Amino acid sequence: MNILWLLVLIVFYHGTSSNGVVTNVSNRPDVVNVGAILSHLSIIGKVAKVAIEAAVDDVNSDPDVLAGTKINLTMQDSNYSGFLGIVEALQFMEKDTVAIIGPQLSVTAHVISHIANELQVPLLSYSATDPTLSPLQFPFFVRTAQSDLFQMAAIAEIVDYYGWKEVIAVYVDDDHGRNGIAALGDKLAERRCKISFKAPMPAEVNRDQITDVLVKVALSESRIIVLHTYAGSGPDVIKVAESLGMMGVGYVWIATNWLSTNLDTDPQLTSDATENFEGIITLRMHTPDSELKRKFVSRWSNLSSGKSINGAFGLSTYGLYAYDTVWLLAHAIDAFFNQGGIISFSNDSRLTELKGGSMNLDALSIFNGGNLLLKNILQVNMTGVTGSINFTSDRNFIHPAFEVINVIGVGYRRIGYWSNYSGLSVLPPEILYTKPPNRSSANQRLNSVIWPGQTTDRPRGWAFPNNGRQLRIGVPKRVSYLEIVSQVEGTDTFKGYCIDVFTAAVNLLPYAVPYKLVPFGDGRNNPSDTELVRLITTGVYDAAIGDIAIITNRTRMVDFTQPYIESGLVVVAPVRKSNSSAWAFLRPFTPGLWCVTAIFFLIVGFVVWILEHRINDDFRGPPKEQVVTVLWFSLSTLFFAHKQNTISTLGRLVLIIWLFVVLIINSSYTASLTSILTVQQLSSPVKGIETLISSNDPIGHQQGSFARDYLVEELGIRESRLIPLNSPEEYARALKDGPHGGGVAAVVDERAYVDLFLSTRCEFSIIGQQFTKAGWGFAFPRDSPLAVDMSTAILRLSESGDLQRMHDKWLTRSACTPQGTKLEVDRLQLKSFWGLFVTCTQRNSSLLVEARDLDVFRHFLHL
């Protein structure tokens, strides 16, 4: 850029020589030369011209401001030309000018700022709002209005507030337009939004060029259009949009502050013009209400009277900032003189070297006090008609704020404010400055809006483009579990549970969706759903439907709808029925529990004997009899049939507690034994996923399923152990063969498939618990608004019961019924109890032998 402005100097500038003399003026001169560059006939320029002249008159008429020094203002009309603006700036530089107000355009400001840097003359622009005019690159450029960086931040927050994700940017293709839209893109990205299509226009655009641009916009999906252009060409764009039907229901137009400038400057706009603007949202730089502002606004009619051949014009915010720019400069000049500053100029040695020829470049002088004046400009702290004027460290005004305006009928209304302090609000920012900042989403508010088409319903912000193109929706071409999704043989149509859900959801949308189902897969193996999802990111498909599990690595590529079915990974393994044994009556309790129970029977009997034998005759007698009494008493409590009475209070208390324990043990034993003997008991060597992780047996999984990646990446199972299976028949064969017969120990698959598989195969069962939580959803590109609407439709299907009915139609099957199995509960068999009978018989036999021997002994004694 330095080379650029130097070439401009060399080629275009013709000045008069100052003969290299250093000019010095007294400390407080009578006048100070200040220049101004603006387009007198432009919408911004004509207002700024009046405001600047009024400010200069007010400063010069107040002796307290500059202590008698007057501002000598020279205005140059750039007449919409960047070239003339550059030449006029050069002319100011040869006339001992200490500062320049302007330029009006950001494009011109980029070039002139290089000149200002070289000659150290501050530029104060009230309208060059390009955010890339950085103080690091252009230290002598001072923006005295709000940067477009904040205007774009406000637009990004509005887009996010209404829940839109994509916008189209229509802008003028110059520094002002490109850099403003670049800032908008950055601010949208901070809120996970984006510019989906950029539509640049030439700076001097005609109707045909506007039409070409807007036709491309109309063919795009997004209906949120941000129009960033100039006040002169903006209305032409809106007029063409109206003729193309782009100002109707469904569209959203957000105009930068060029539109509010038009409305403020020309309050007598024709009804046709305002009708074109109806429903548009625009921004206006916020200037707080104050006494200074009210006084200046009341003077405006007299100030602007007779200034334009087209009649009176209104006061825009640019006029207010132009007025304050003069006052800001006046205060800085006063501080400059108070600090001993001297207005003096010296030759630029680099230009002196180019003295030869007719260019007379040595007429351009360096302002020796430029750095001091710039420092004082940046340190000004005053209150003007625009409010508090104070620069931050990055040379922006403190508390940037905008008004959010909705154009309606023949006028407009303010629907809220945006400030860098607290975001969107219906309260003026100056009220919020007294409170702690609150940028929470719940605190962001705007009043109701009348959108294009005179509707108050928030537009959804997108539509299918009118280019005749259908959405290409990928559908997996499965070879198994065809109930879920399958292609009808010999046709391009599909059927199945997923297809019914998708069709029903699409029918609930409030708009038509043109789409075409495209098969994905070779028809010989189940395709990879992850690969299908990846093809959405490359643009091969616009969406994907089917049995697509919502898992982490897929959500990084696309957006999913609300799950329409729950499904997680489970383990399926062969099971066998446990046969009843002769000792089945011992199975309810573990050996440990049997031992502890027996010990406690003895302990309780012994405790009761200790408490009772001294006072209770039932617990007295010979030692052998007392031992038998204790054993009999403790065991008889099992059946609540003890005949010994307890007399002591402590004995009764112990017995009550023990009887309660016996009741619980007895009931638990009865229930457990009942379950063991009447409910079919199934067993499997595989106890769950933990068994598979710790073993080295092969594991089956469905071809194309995410189960393989999960087992390898999440559970650390070696890939060599995994065997892909393609159909339920392969599942059954591999499970029957087992790990030692060339098959698998178990199959890991999603619950929905497993339920279908087990509906006809009772020799297998789910082992353990479901060890992942997932669901199936439809996949769409990132930030696709269709994904949101489809999710809403799926929720409606769920709430109405239609989703369950579709599930029952395709996926619900009656439970399997093996041959020979009866519906009634199994009858108990002798083999479950013969151990009891044998034990009882043996015990009775031994007692009879003992009794017989005792009788023989007694007979012998009698003899």
Side-chain angles (χ1 to χ4, degrees), residues 6-15 83 86-87 90 359 361:
L6 190 58
L7 289 174
V8 171
L9 283 173
I10 294 173
V11 176
F12 295 114
Y13 178 69
H14 295 273
F83 167 71
I86 296 170
V87 173
L90 294 174
M359 300 294 293
L361 296 177

Side-chain angles (χ1 to χ4, degrees), residues 704-783:
S705 170
F706 79 95
R708 172 193 169 279
D709 293 336
Y710 183 86
L711 294 174
V712 173
E713 297 172 6
E714 300 297 332
L715 301 183
I717 295 176
R718 296 193 311 275
E719 189 173 355
S720 60
R721 294 177 55 195
L722 304 181
I723 299 178
L725 303 171
N726 220 26
S727 66
E729 292 73 21
E730 292 185 14
Y731 281 25
R733 185 164 54 252
L735 289 171
K736 288 178 180 178
D737 292 342
H740 304 296
V744 298
V747 171
V748 175
D749 204 352
E750 293 180 72
R751 183 63 184 257
Y753 304 119
V754 169
D755 287 342
L756 287 173
F757 173 73
L758 296 179
S759 64
T760 56
R761 296 171 177 87
C762 283
E763 64 271 30
F764 311 110
S765 179
I766 295 175
I767 306 299
Q769 300 296 319
Q770 180 174 303
F771 58 92
T772 66
K773 293 290 185 181
W776 293 351
F778 304 135
F780 293 89
R782 296 298 298 268
D783 300 321

Side-chain angles (χ1 to χ4, degrees), residues 393-458:
S393 59
D394 55 358
R395 295 196 187 178
N396 290 309
F397 282 154
I398 61 171
H399 300 321
F402 286 83
E403 299 174 12
V404 185
I405 294 172
N406 181 208
V407 183
I408 53 174
V410 294
Y412 57 87
R413 67 187 183 99
R414 184 172 54 235
I415 61 173
Y417 303 86
W418 175 90
S419 70
N420 198 41
Y421 182 78
S422 57
L424 299 173
S425 173
V426 295
L427 298 175
E430 47 270 22
I431 295 178
L432 300 177
Y433 295 150
T434 61
K435 305 176 182 179
N438 187 349
R439 300 300 294 265
S440 65
S441 57
N443 198 55
Q444 305 299 296
R445 281 192 56 205
L446 289 175
N447 289 321
S448 60
V449 178
I450 297 178
W451 304 100
Q454 297 183 345
T455 178
T456 57
D457 295 332
R458 180 188 70 84

Side-chain angles (χ1 to χ4, degrees), residues 28 32 34 52 54-72 98-99 101 124 144 322-338 373 376-378 380-382 389:
R28 279 278 180 176
V32 175
V34 175
I52 292 172
V56 171
D57 290 341
D58 292 344
V59 169
N60 288 338
S61 62
D62 188 347
D64 295 333
V65 180
L66 289 174
T69 300
K70 306 291 185 182
I71 292 179
N72 179 30
V98 300
I101 298 175
L124 293 87
T144 58
Y323 181 85
D324 275 351
T325 299
V326 176
W327 278 95
L328 184 154
L329 179 60
H331 285 291
I333 293 173
D334 184 59
F336 171 82
F337 287 138
N338 290 338
L373 180 58
N376 283 286
I377 289 173
L378 298 176
V380 167
N381 188 356
M382 57 171 274
I389 296 178

Side-chain angles (χ1 to χ4, degrees), residues 237-478:
V237 176
I238 298 299
K239 188 174 182 180
V240 174
E242 174 71 24
S243 67
L244 294 176
M246 298 175 64
M247 296 298 296
V249 175
Y251 280 91
V252 174
W253 286 80
I254 302 176
T256 50
N257 63 341
W258 65 263
L259 179 54
S260 63
T261 301
N262 266 12
L263 297 173
D264 291 337
T265 306
D266 191 359
Q268 305 299 324
L269 282 174
T270 63
S271 59
D272 290 342
T274 54
E275 285 179 3
N276 292 338
F277 297 154
E278 186 164 18
I280 297 178
I281 291 178
T282 185
L283 300 176
R284 174 200 284 148
M285 290 182 285
H286 175 65
T287 55
D289 190 27
S290 65
E291 185 64 25
L292 282 175
K293 179 180 176 181
R294 285 192 294 270
K295 287 181 178 179
F296 185 67
V297 171
S298 66
R299 295 170 52 197
W300 184 253
S301 296
N302 293 330
L303 292 173
S304 61
S305 178
K307 298 291 185 177
S308 173
I309 59 175
N310 296 323
F313 50 86
L315 174 62
S316 67
T317 52
Y318 285 114
L320 297 174
Y321 279 106
Y323 181 85
D324 275 351
T325 299
V326 176
W327 278 95
L328 184 154
L329 179 60
H331 285 291
I333 293 173
D334 184 59
F336 171 82
F337 287 138
N338 290 338
Q339 296 173 14
I342 298 175
I343 298 179
S344 63
F345 296 84
S346 59
N347 290 339
D348 188 336
S349 60
R350 288 184 289 187
L351 293 179
T352 303
E353 296 173 359
L354 301 174
K355 185 175 181 179
S358 59
M359 300 294 293
N360 296 322
L361 296 177
D362 56 347
L364 302 176
S365 304
I366 296 176
F367 177 29
N368 297 325
N371 281 304
L372 181 58
L373 180 58
L374 175 64
K375 177 182 176 183
N376 283 286
I377 289 173
L378 298 176
Q379 290 179 346
V380 167
N381 188 356
M382 57 171 274
T383 300
V385 295
T386 59
S388 178
I389 296 178
N390 188 7
F391 289 99
T392 62
S393 59
D394 55 358
R395 295 196 187 178
N396 290 309
F397 282 154
I398 61 171
H399 300 321
F402 286 83
E403 299 174 12
V404 185
I405 294 172
N406 181 208
V407 183
I408 53 174
V410 294
Y412 57 87
R413 67 187 183 99
R414 184 172 54 235
I415 61 173
Y417 303 86
W418 175 90
S419 70
N420 198 41
Y421 182 78
S422 57
L424 299 173
S425 173
V426 295
L427 298 175
E430 47 270 22
I431 295 178
L432 300 177
Y433 295 150
T434 61
K435 305 176 182 179
N438 187 349
R439 300 300 294 265
S440 65
S441 57
N443 198 55
Q444 305 299 296
R445 281 192 56 205
L446 289 175
N447 289 321
S448 60
V449 178
I450 297 178
W451 304 100
Q454 297 183 345
T455 178
T456 57
D457 295 332
R458 180 188 70 84
R460 67 173 181 265
W462 66 279
F464 290 101
N466 299 322
N467 55 10
R469 179 178 175 273
Q470 293 180 318
L471 293 181
R472 288 176 52 85
I473 299 179
V475 184
K477 192 174 182 180
R478 295 191 57 85

